[in-house]
Amino acid sequence: MGASLKVISPGILASIQDEGRRGYAGFGVPRSGAADPIALQIGNALVGNDPFVAAIEFRFLGPKVVVNKGRMRLGLAANATAELILAENGEKLSVSAWQTVVLNEGDVLAITSLSEGATGYLTIEGGLDLTPVLESCSTYARAKLGGVTGLPLQAGDVVDAIFDVPRDGMEKIVNSPPVLDSKIVRVMLGPQEDYFSEDEIKKFSCEAYKVSGDVDRMGIRMEGAELVPLPDKGSDLISDGLVPGSIQIPGSGQPIILFVDCQTIGGYPKIATVITADLPLLGQLLPGDSIRFEPVTLAQAQTALREQSSAIQCCVDSIADYFGEGVMDLKALYKTNLIGGVVDANYSGHFPGHLEGMSNETD
Amino acid sequence: MDIRVLTLGDSAFTIEFPTLKGAFGARRVRALRTRVQQEVDHGKLLGVLDVISASRSLTVCLDPQVSDYELVRDRIADLAREPVNDVKDGGQLWSLPACYQGDYAPDLENVAQRSGLSPEEVIDLHSSVTYDVFLIGFLPGFAFLGEIDKRLRFPRRTSPRVRVPAGSVGIANEQTAVYPWESPGGWHLLARCPVPFFNTAWEQPSLLSAGVRVRFDPISVVEYEKLQNDLNSGALSPQSFLVDQGRG
């Protein structure tokens, strides 16, 4: 039996997600899966997992969890810090963004709100002990598929890990986490760009749009210049297939970007579709953010995807042993003279506490 | 065949038959879907992840890391232009029991009044047609069937119900459907069907798929309850309501 984690507080919309479901859209089953698959991949690399192993996704505000059985190593894949409260003596240690940490039975990890972006992951070394539903552990609440109960995580839910104890080895950190500064969402026009005049298309691609308060895994409602379909076309069409990233223009003229849990079919005209490389960006949009849609060609979209694969690899390659605070009690280590005390020249200044020659033992 | 190829980003496209609609469109789409599936099974179209049927279009989703988008798109467009021998014949035929009585038929009286018919005539009109499944969507396993008799066509309820029980048989505009899940809904509810429509344990999680045919077989409350018990206990399989395998 593996270790297990109990949810003390789920934060806002925490759920189990992996790569999502493929092959069931024809039966009306949405793809679901990670809102930011890049963060999930890097978070899994951080704990030595395959890229799309199921993890705890949280949005806007992180969860608070306690290890209620065994020991486990977690990866904090988010622009958020956390507080580790030790069961042994109640001591509070700070955990940096994008690092791993080992929790003993009774230790509590409280993740703060995200300092940047909207989505983060708590990855679990060795993965979670869940039974896939339609080949995925992703939670899709409307049909109660996946996750632990089919629903977003609730206080009291217990999530079982596969490992009962962590692997031996140093804690890790992503030295170059993904950068979230793009305010441009690249799209390919269509499938119903012919519902809109050239002027309306120009408006769509030049004006800035603001993310409204209506943001969830189904869709992201935008606010900005109203887009009016040609009078002979209207806002209704014979329903056709949708994908996450489809940008619908309903009667209000305000775009809705459909997202990972979106329906498979819809009847509003879709002016454009977000390219695959920019879908992860959608998972990081916060209410109030301002973005611009930039039409690109298929060749540009394909180049963007290749460049993104290299960028992800760079983040993964930047994962290194971590010697900072939070992983271990530095004061105690100093006292017992376990530290060799040489600053790593490669990262000096990056982490003031970055030291070499430390013992692998973390507790 | 007149087709349009619509771009749905760098990992999906939609093939549309702009001149087709209704049952004829659904059958033409089913024929294309079968051809695409054959090619996929023969390893000819790499990276096809999902195929979504709508009433006059087929959407194909690809894995952009694996697929050659233009190659797959052009090949499927060629398949769509191929003449189809006979799309008049349907696929599988399901005869689904439906109880048009009492609490199972909350909107029957209202629909009868609005259409100037007796409740019996409404039941007769709804259960005498063999419907085509135009598409599966809205919720997993939710089948849109058409087309219903012109006399029964009304827009959705002005105030949708917060809770429509699973199995409810509804009508709206020219379509009819069975709710596979309890959910909010705005359709006029004429009957209740005891057969489960979605189960992740089945090889095909949705009982119905686009292109199959369905008719409703009126049953009494007593029969409904017996069927529901037998289906729940496993004594009866949902597959027993498949009355004709069709031609796939």
Side-chain angles (χ1 to χ4, degrees):
Chain A
M1 279 296 278
S4 69
L5 203 65
K6 191 164 131 186
V7 177
I8 299 172
S9 135
I12 299 173
L13 287 174
S15 65
I16 308 281
Q17 298 294 340
D18 56 17
E19 200 177 7
R21 296 186 174 79
R22 300 290 193 274
Y24 298 97
F27 304 118
V29 182
R31 194 175 291 178
S32 303
D36 180 355
I38 295 179
L40 176 64
Q41 286 176 70
I42 296 167
N44 271 318
L46 189 57
V47 292
N49 290 349
D50 287 341
F52 291 106
V53 167
I56 297 174
E57 175 180 287
F58 50 92
R59 310 211 60 206
F60 313 115
L61 183 68
K64 187 174 177 182
V65 296
V66 59
V67 168
N68 67 337
K69 196 180 72 184
R71 298 170 60 216
M72 63 169 78
R73 179 177 279 119
L74 303 174
L76 179 56
N79 297 309
T81 55
E83 192 173 61
L84 172 62
I85 306 158
L86 301 178
E88 193 187 354
N89 53 13
E91 193 171 348
K92 292 176 177 176
L93 302 172
S94 79
V95 177
S96 313
W98 300 96
Q99 77 158 90
T100 62
V101 62
V102 167
L103 273 67
N104 291 319
E105 194 165 308
D107 287 355
V108 170
L109 188 70
I111 300 165
T112 61
S113 56
L114 290 139
S115 59
E116 203 186 352
T119 300
Y121 295 87
L122 199 55
T123 53
I124 295 91
E125 185 187 55
L128 295 171
D129 189 10
L130 293 167
T131 309
V133 177
L134 303 178
E135 300 174 68
S136 164
C137 295
S138 286
T139 309
Y140 172 58
R142 278 186 97 186
K144 294 196 176 71
L145 303 183
V148 180
T149 61
L151 296 173
L153 291 169
Q154 309 284 317
D157 280 353
V158 173
V159 186
D160 292 323
I162 291 172
F163 286 5
D164 53 354
V165 288
R167 291 189 193 106
D168 287 341
M170 304 287 294
E171 298 313 321
K172 305 281 182 192
I173 189 160
V174 183
N175 283 316
S176 312
V179 181
L180 302 175
D181 59 358
S182 179
K183 295 296 168 213
I184 291 181
V185 174
R186 289 165 292 182
V187 301
M188 283 171 67
L189 292 176
Q192 278 90 35
E193 78 272 34
D194 61 336
Y195 272 57
F196 301 90
S197 69
E198 240 172 76
D199 283 351
E200 295 297 292
I201 301 271
K202 196 174 264 176
K203 218 194 295 178
F204 169 73
S205 49
C206 293
E207 305 267 344
Y209 281 88
K210 203 177 85 179
V211 179
S212 77
D214 204 351
V215 177
D216 61 20
R217 290 177 47 88
M218 303 258 302
I220 301 162
R221 213 175 270 269
M222 306 299 294
E223 290 167 351
E226 189 182 328
L227 300 170
V228 184
L230 292 164
D232 61 320
K233 295 284 192 181
S235 295
D236 263 329
L237 83 156
I238 294 174
S239 295
D240 65 0
L242 300 174
V243 290
S246 293
I247 303 174
Q248 281 186 340
I249 310 296
S252 68
Q254 300 292 328
I256 299 171
I257 312 174
L258 297 171
F259 202 34
V260 284
D261 281 354
C262 72
Q263 292 172 210
T264 52
I265 284 193
Y268 291 120
K270 296 168 285 297
I271 192 168
T273 314
V274 177
I275 67 171
T276 307
D278 283 356
L279 290 174
L281 182 64
L282 300 180
Q284 298 295 357
L285 290 180
L286 282 166
D289 281 354
S290 184
I291 59 158
R292 208 168 56 69
F293 297 110
E294 182 182 289
V296 297
T297 62
L298 175 64
Q300 287 171 314
Q302 290 169 336
T303 304
L305 194 60
R306 277 195 299 274
E307 285 170 357
Q308 183 170 73
S309 298
S310 322
I312 295 170
Q313 195 53 50
C314 284
C315 294
V316 169
D317 291 344
S318 79
I319 295 172
D321 290 347
Y322 181 57
F323 303 91
E325 275 186 83
V327 183
M328 55 194 82
D329 186 343
L330 283 173
K331 264 185 297 180
L333 288 167
Y334 276 114
K335 264 188 243 161
T336 49
N337 281 325
L338 281 170
I339 296 170
V342 183
V343 173
D344 184 339
N346 290 323
Y347 297 112
S348 65
H350 204 125
F351 302 106
H354 203 128
L355 304 162
E356 272 187 352
M358 205 179 277
S359 159
N360 283 355
E361 295 303 316
T362 58
D363 48 52
Chain B
M1 177 58 68
D2 190 14
I3 67 159
R4 292 173 72 211
V5 181
L6 309 176
T7 301
L8 190 59
D10 58 337
S11 65
F13 55 86
T14 295
I15 306 279
E16 185 182 271
F17 299 101
T19 56
L20 299 185
K21 57 180 285 198
F24 200 74
R27 289 173 191 189
R28 186 67 189 79
V29 171
R30 191 194 73 221
L32 175 59
R33 187 194 181 102
T34 304
R35 288 290 289 121
V36 169
Q37 196 56 53
Q38 282 168 355
E39 297 262 312
V40 169
D41 292 346
H42 286 95
K44 283 187 185 161
L45 299 169
L46 280 184
V48 172
L49 294 176
D50 274 304
V51 183
I52 305 168
S53 300
S55 57
R56 62 166 191 184
S57 65
L58 191 77
T59 294
V60 179
C61 306
L62 306 175
D63 180 346
Q65 309 275 12
V66 174
S67 279
D68 182 328
Y69 182 97
E70 286 161 303
L71 196 80
V72 174
R73 179 194 63 195
D74 295 347
R75 175 67 189 142
I76 294 179
D78 286 344
L79 295 177
R81 286 188 197 96
E82 279 176 7
V84 171
N85 293 339
D86 185 7
V87 292
K88 277 182 240 118
D89 271 3
Q92 291 181 344
L93 174 63
W94 294 80
S95 177
L96 299 175
C99 179
Y100 296 80
Q101 295 176 10
D103 291 346
Y104 295 143
D107 295 329
L108 179 63
E109 283 289 343
N110 183 263
V111 167
Q113 272 172 21
R114 287 178 72 173
S115 52
L117 300 165
S118 69
E120 291 71 29
E121 286 170 315
V122 171
I123 296 169
D124 198 45
L125 286 178
H126 188 261
S127 61
S128 61
V129 178
T130 297
Y131 301 106
D132 283 84
V133 175
F134 287 174
L135 58 95
I136 308 280
F138 172 55
L139 284 168
F142 192 105
F144 288 80
L145 317 173
E147 293 175 347
I148 62 173
D149 189 278
K150 284 198 167 58
R151 285 164 283 181
L152 300 180
R153 295 182 188 180
F154 301 103
R156 286 177 178 74
R157 287 164 58 93
T158 43
S159 59
R161 286 187 171 85
V162 178
R163 211 184 127 261
V164 172
S168 295
V169 181
I171 56 169
N173 301 313
E174 67 283 350
Q175 296 187 331
T176 181
V178 188
Y179 285 80
W181 308 89
E182 182 186 297
S183 75
W187 294 41
H188 307 274
L189 307 182
L190 295 187
R192 189 84 67 84
C193 173
V195 182
F197 282 81
F198 192 88
N199 188 328
T200 57
W202 296 338
E203 196 185 344
Q204 176 185 303
S206 169
L207 187 73
L208 306 177
S209 53
V212 309
R213 295 169 301 150
V214 171
R215 66 169 185 247
F216 293 102
D217 175 23
I219 55 169
S220 68
V221 175
V222 174
E223 286 169 308
Y224 176 91
E225 281 161 6
K226 168 142 184 26
L227 286 172
Q228 194 175 40
N229 281 334
D230 290 350
L231 285 159
N232 286 345
S233 71
L236 188 66
S237 159
Q239 292 293 322
S240 57
F241 301 105
L242 175 59
V243 292
D244 182 354
Q245 268 298 342
R247 305 182 314 134

